[in-house]
Amino acid sequence: MPHDENQPAADRSPQAVEEGLRRSAAFLIDEALGFVFPAALRAAADTGVADALADGPATAAELAAATGTDARNLYRVLRLLATRGVVAEDGHGRFTLTETGQALRSDVPYSARSAVRMLTDRTFWRPAERMAHCLTEGTTAFDAVFGMPFFDHFAQDEETAAVFHVGMAAMSDVENPAIAAACDLPDTGTVVDVGGGHGGLLLEVLRRNPGLEGVLHDRAHVLAGHRLEGEKEVAGRWSTVEGDFFTAVPAGDVLLLKRITHDWDDDACVTLLGHCRRALRPGGRLLVLDAVVPRDDAPHQAKTMDLMMMASLTGRERTEADFADLLDRAGLRLSRILPTGTVLSVVEAVVAD
């Protein structure tokens, strides 16, 4: 009769305990090798292999010639990517980019190439290696690795900052249409995208809501790469405002905060949310667009992202109760949480009575 792996060891036979330990060791060793796959994905993104496969199947040698890489080592990377369905190898040693792998190309809508490069950048990779530091010291590992906080490092390293902002835009492009559709917005008024980056979300919001005007708020060097200019559908309905959201936020009827609060600790978030409360016009609403961590053992991207935040920044992913507490401290009230069909939710808040 099969034994129950959740049965206490004292109630199982020595043979069953030993077999369970063997399975545990095999599982943990296999999981410990898991970091190699993102490294292979990063290598493929860096060298443009997916673009070289856009025209059809090719051997590793043909791809190596097209990308300036070593054929034997490229084959080894592709072989691992094939185990997760990014590419497929036929019986003649030719590789094809699968439907799953299409977004690794740089020339397709919703390209994930920049997002892959950002998420596997050394600014996240190296602190993750030092995660034990977070447990023993109770602080981010980023400062110990790079000698300064995350955003200070970006301020002095333009190349890394560009990887981050372009990668965030690519990551957001996939989710923005669904998020914009899920937001309950008025027919008229002003929507302010606070810390809105290159404006991908605001663009989707204005496209879906022709009676709204929009303000894209961020630092000057970020706004320099915004994407609102030249979009005929939203012409004349947007403006940009340079600024630091820890100092002030432009006034509006609806304020959006997308993937912002998870970057910062609770006290910093309360400061930011306080600025948002003061910027809301009468009857206005704040929409915090972030993951809400479920209270169960099921896999969820927010649980993975939470550890990346822990290692590199001071923030964290939050539960519904966490958001309610933050908003309350800032003089706001959580009114409802709306699903979006993505890993993010719409955490809607109003000024507290």
Side-chain angles (χ1 to χ4, degrees):
M1 182 175 181
H3 66 269
D4 182 359
E5 292 186 351
N6 295 318
Q7 185 180 15
D11 298 335
R12 296 161 58 192
S13 70
Q15 294 84 357
V17 171
E18 184 174 353
E19 178 58 27
L21 288 171
R22 285 197 191 97
R23 282 197 295 270
S24 173
F27 169 80
L28 294 173
I29 290 168
D30 195 47
E31 288 295 299
L33 283 166
F35 73 95
V36 178
F37 181 80
L41 197 60
R42 167 64 184 248
D46 277 348
T47 55
V49 172
D51 287 350
L53 280 169
D55 292 331
T59 65
E62 291 167 339
L63 291 170
T67 58
T69 56
D70 180 82
R72 182 173 64 176
N73 288 341
L74 178 58
Y75 175 81
R76 296 160 76 181
V77 167
L78 291 169
R79 180 170 59 186
L80 179 60
L81 295 183
T83 67
R84 302 285 284 274
V86 176
V87 296
E89 183 182 8
D90 66 18
H92 303 286
R94 295 177 302 181
F95 288 93
T96 301
L97 194 63
T98 65
E99 184 176 357
T100 298
Q102 287 294 325
L104 196 57
R105 290 169 54 184
S106 63
D107 60 345
V108 294
Y110 306 118
S111 170
R113 183 184 179 188
S114 296
V116 168
R117 296 186 72 241
M118 176 197 68
L119 293 170
T120 57
D121 187 76
R122 62 193 179 95
T123 49
F124 292 123
W125 194 280
R126 290 180 60 193
E129 179 190 9
R130 300 279 297 275
M131 197 170 290
H133 175 94
C134 304
L135 305 184
T136 58
E137 304 301 321
T139 62
T140 174
F142 192 95
D143 297 29
V145 174
F146 291 98
M148 65 187 73
F150 186 87
F151 288 109
D152 289 353
H153 176 69
F154 277 32
Q156 69 171 32
D157 187 335
E158 292 184 6
E159 183 177 348
T160 298
V163 169
F164 178 78
H165 291 299
V166 173
M168 279 302 301
M171 190 171 175
S172 293
D173 283 346
V174 178
E175 49 196 28
N176 283 339
I179 291 172
C183 292
D184 183 9
L185 298 171
D187 294 332
T188 60
T190 300
V191 175
V192 181
D193 194 354
V194 179
H198 290 173
L201 174 61
L202 185 60
L203 181 58
E204 289 291 340
V205 166
L206 295 179
R207 281 172 172 165
R208 294 185 62 88
N209 299 273
L212 292 177
E213 295 186 349
V215 175
L216 182 62
H217 175 259
D218 216 312
R219 291 183 178 269
H221 71 278
V222 180
L223 292 176
H226 81 78
R227 296 153 48 186
L228 299 169
E229 190 74 49
E231 294 288 340
K232 294 182 180 179
E233 294 173 272
V234 302
R237 293 195 289 126
W238 60 268
S239 61
T240 61
V241 174
E242 298 176 7
D244 177 356
F245 50 53
F246 285 121
T247 301
V249 170
D253 300 288
V254 177
L255 270 58
L256 308 177
L257 278 177
K258 182 170 185 278
R259 290 193 184 273
I260 300 293
T261 57
H262 75 161
D263 288 341
W264 303 98
D265 63 31
D266 288 359
D267 289 341
C269 283
V270 170
T271 297
L272 167 58
L273 293 170
H275 291 317
C276 291
R277 175 178 57 79
R278 287 184 286 275
L280 284 174
R281 292 172 180 159
R285 288 173 291 141
L286 170 66
L287 306 184
V288 179
L289 309 169
D290 237 323
V292 177
V293 184
R295 300 297 295 268
D296 57 33
D297 293 337
H300 193 281
Q301 188 188 92
K303 298 175 184 179
T304 303
M305 187 76 74
D306 186 45
L307 296 192
M308 191 170 81
M309 295 297 105
M310 182 178 75
S312 288
L313 291 121
T314 60
R316 61 191 176 102
E317 306 294 337
R318 293 177 171 88
T319 64
E320 179 177 349
D322 292 330
F323 278 114
D325 179 62
L326 277 185
L327 293 165
D328 180 68
R329 288 175 59 190
L332 295 158
R333 175 175 57 82
L334 194 163
S335 53
R336 56 179 172 169
I337 295 179
L338 302 172
T340 67
T342 75
V343 297
L344 304 189
S345 295
V346 180
V347 180
E348 184 181 276
V350 297
V351 176
D353 299 330

